[in-house]
Amino acid sequence: MNGPEITLEVAPELRLFVPHERRGGPTRLTTDGASTLGHVIESLGVPLTEAGTLLVNGEPVARSHVPGPGEHIDVRGIERPQQLPGAPLRFLLDVHLGTLARRLRLLGVDAAYESEDIGDPALAALSARERRVLLSRDRGLLRRRELWAGAYVYSDRPQEQLRDILGRFAPHLAPWTRCTACNGTLAEADKDAVSDLLEHGTQQAYDVFAQCTACARVYWRGAHHGHLETIVADAVREFGGTAVYRAEAQGDGLNR
């Protein structure tokens, strides 16, 4: 490229996205003189979903700014908690984030999840249609223009993923109110009304039940309740929330 030369520096939390030679601090970059700052940032590997305030010589600019000769550009990270006006805070997770989806639902967070790979175009279109924040570790998916909003999931460990998303978006937590299987809402269920859906041993051992209003799955305090209680207690202690109902479904997959 024969355009203007600029100096660019990305925030420490964004350096994993850029080439190694650009991770130590400010580096020189020659642009084509026509591309927007948003395009320049993406070309370095940083998803725009992760770019916060953009500064040119210390002054905030829009992503549409076209860099000029000698400009010093700082790319800051997203300010937390991130504000997303225009729709209720809801999430959409790609096929690789099933455990995170179930843990978000356990905490009462609206988290749609596709258990089959429906393809990047369909996921992006669903994000736009339902105004959901798409969560993914796929940088290419997060670069799709039709996304309503998105966020990169930085860790591959479910507990760290959960803390990252809760800290970034600060969703309201209402544990034990959402179905971990389908994302529907739970309602208290009379034991007699759900008895046909229970094995005899479960009927004998438990008296308190909830049922999903969408898929009719029945929940109760089962063998894995202690593990789920720890997940909930840790999240509520750090991020706030109110435990409303305490139950679990056998085989809900949260331990996998």
Side-chain angles (χ1 to χ4, degrees):
M1 287 188 284
N2 298 315
E5 185 178 85
I6 63 175
T7 303
L8 185 141
E9 182 175 10
V10 300
E13 62 268 31
L14 302 180
R15 290 176 184 171
L16 77 160
F17 297 114
V18 301
H20 285 279
E21 62 271 18
R22 297 192 181 277
R23 296 182 181 180
T27 58
R28 294 189 180 280
L29 176 69
T30 302
T31 72
D32 61 10
S35 295
T36 65
L37 182 52
H39 179 79
V40 171
I41 292 169
E42 277 195 324
S43 70
L44 293 176
V46 180
L48 288 182
T49 61
E50 307 312 297
T53 301
L54 308 179
L55 301 176
V56 172
N57 299 330
E59 297 295 327
V61 298
R63 295 174 180 179
S64 58
H65 172 78
V66 177
E71 291 184 345
H72 178 84
I73 295 170
D74 288 298
V75 183
R76 295 185 174 176
I78 293 292
E79 185 176 345
R80 299 187 174 211
Q82 184 176 356
Q83 303 298 315
L84 291 171
L89 180 60
R90 304 188 299 172
F91 297 101
L92 171 64
L93 290 81
D94 72 17
V95 68
H96 303 292
L97 297 175
T99 299
L100 176 59
R102 290 187 289 271
R103 293 190 178 196
L104 286 169
R105 292 170 178 176
L106 176 66
L107 295 169
V109 178
D110 189 337
Y113 165 69
E114 296 294 336
S115 59
E116 297 183 1
D117 190 352
I118 63 174
D120 290 2
L123 274 174
L126 183 58
S127 165
R129 185 167 63 250
E130 298 189 359
R131 291 201 166 192
R132 290 180 177 272
V133 182
L134 179 61
L135 304 180
S136 179
R137 286 179 52 77
D138 183 340
R139 303 178 196 180
L141 174 55
L142 294 175
R143 292 181 65 172
R144 298 195 69 90
R145 294 291 181 244
E146 60 269 40
L147 281 181
W148 179 70
Y152 183 76
V153 178
Y154 286 79
S155 175
D156 58 2
R157 300 170 65 90
Q159 187 58 26
E160 293 175 3
Q161 292 174 346
L162 183 64
R163 291 187 69 254
D164 179 32
I165 297 306
L166 296 183
R168 176 165 175 170
F169 293 100
H172 173 70
L173 304 186
W176 319 105
T177 62
R178 194 171 289 275
C179 178
T180 56
C182 80
N183 199 41
T185 56
L186 299 183
E188 292 186 20
D190 181 77
K191 183 176 182 178
D192 292 335
V194 298
S195 60
D196 290 345
L197 301 175
L198 305 174
E199 296 181 358
H200 179 70
T202 302
Q203 293 185 46
Q204 294 289 97
Y206 302 98
D207 294 310
V208 180
F209 296 91
Q211 189 170 29
C212 177
T213 58
C215 72
R217 188 182 183 94
V218 179
Y219 288 75
W220 63 92
R221 275 195 201 195
H224 301 309
H225 183 76
H227 171 67
L228 304 186
E229 182 73 52
T230 298
I231 295 173
V232 168
D234 288 347
V236 169
R237 181 172 58 252
E238 186 170 0
F239 300 102
T242 303
V244 177
Y245 182 81
R246 297 180 179 180
E248 70 163 291
Q250 279 191 335
D252 64 2
L254 276 163
N255 289 328
R256 291 201 293 269

